[in-house]
């Protein structure tokens, strides 16, 4: 890696970059750092990659200070997604990567991210994913592809009327439906139906805090039967009604 091109080395030579607003420059820098780090990560040089990230974050502290807590939080969430995707692409047993990704997203959503905390959080995220990536790396099983298909199809159709039957109709073009169900439950430790519901509730949580849509409008947008059905399923999953969730988390913000 030391002799290969590193994208961040060329930022200062790019006129378009130097002419950008400091906030934009900070976001571009973090994107390039992530891109460079992944090359270390794929080569199995995690500690070398961490040193590279630390050096560049320290050197770019002024730009990092220009970013809001929310912008830094989004960058950390993007890193989580990239590392989770790397794990899911290269492992047959993907549940740990999905679970760790979801745990981090829930945690980061509620965490103020200061410049001082940013670098330690980056290192923590990297090491947590690296720890579960080392065993059985680059393994493969015949049912992995169908499980990934279920994940990707569900995530791409959260705003549709999504049923297990529809998901299986998409995946079953190549696989037996019962094989898909069993493989998914084995790897994800939940049924396809439970995964669909969990992802819809997760999307609802985001919409409740990121938009001013009414409960009824969110229920309709996510294709729940009606607002009452949405509220019932939301409370079962989170322990709160949608309104209680919005009020409590808005007060915290």
């Amino acid at each position: 890696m030391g002799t290969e091109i590193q994208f961040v080395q060329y930022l200062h030579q790019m006129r378009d970059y130097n002419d950008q607003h400091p906030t934009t420059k900070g976001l571009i820098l973090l994107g390039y750092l992530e891109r460079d780090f992944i090359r270390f990560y794929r080569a199995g040089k995690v500690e070398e990659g961490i040193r590279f990230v630390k050096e560049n974050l320290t050197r770019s502290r002024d730009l990092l200070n220009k970013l809001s807590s929310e912008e830094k939080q989004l960058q950390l969430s993007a890193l989580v997604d990239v590392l989770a995707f790397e794990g899911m692409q290269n492992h047959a047993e993907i549940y740990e990567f999905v679970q760790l990704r979801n745990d981090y997203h829930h945690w980061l959503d509620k965490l103020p991210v200061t410049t001082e905390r940013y670098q330690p959080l980056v290192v923590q995220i990297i090491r947590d994913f690296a720890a579960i990536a080392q065993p059985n790396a680059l393994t493969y099983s015949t049912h992995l592809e169908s499980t990934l298909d279920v994940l990707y199809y569900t995530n791409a159709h959260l705003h549709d009327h999504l049923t297990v039957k529809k998901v299986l109709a998409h995946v079953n073009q190549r696989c037996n439906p019962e094989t898909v169900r069993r493989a998914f439950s084995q790897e994800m430790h939940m049924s396809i139906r439970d995964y669909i519901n969990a992802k819809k509730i997760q999307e609802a949580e985001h919409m409740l805090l990121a938009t001013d849509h009414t409960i009824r409008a969110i229920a309709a947008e996510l294709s729940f039967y009606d607002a009452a059905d949405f509220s019932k399923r939301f409370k079962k999953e989170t322990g709160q009604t949608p309104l209680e969730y919005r009020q409590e988390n808005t007060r915290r913000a």
Side-chain angles (χ1 to χ4, degrees), residues 15 22 26-27 32 48 63-64 71 92 95 106 157 159 169 171 193 204 234-235 242:
R15 176 178 297 179
L27 293 171
Y32 271 71
E48 187 178 339
L63 283 179
L64 199 57
E71 286 167 330
Y95 173 74
H106 283 302
H157 294 82
H159 291 252
V171 182
R193 184 183 305 280
F234 190 95
K235 185 169 184 177

Side-chain angles (χ1 to χ4, degrees), residues 140-162:
Y140 185 80
S141 64
T142 55
H143 55 254
L144 173 61
E145 186 175 353
S146 69
T147 297
L148 291 176
D149 272 352
V150 172
L151 294 174
Y152 296 151
Y153 185 82
T154 300
N155 292 338
H157 294 82
L158 287 177
H159 291 252
D160 299 339
H161 178 56
L162 196 57

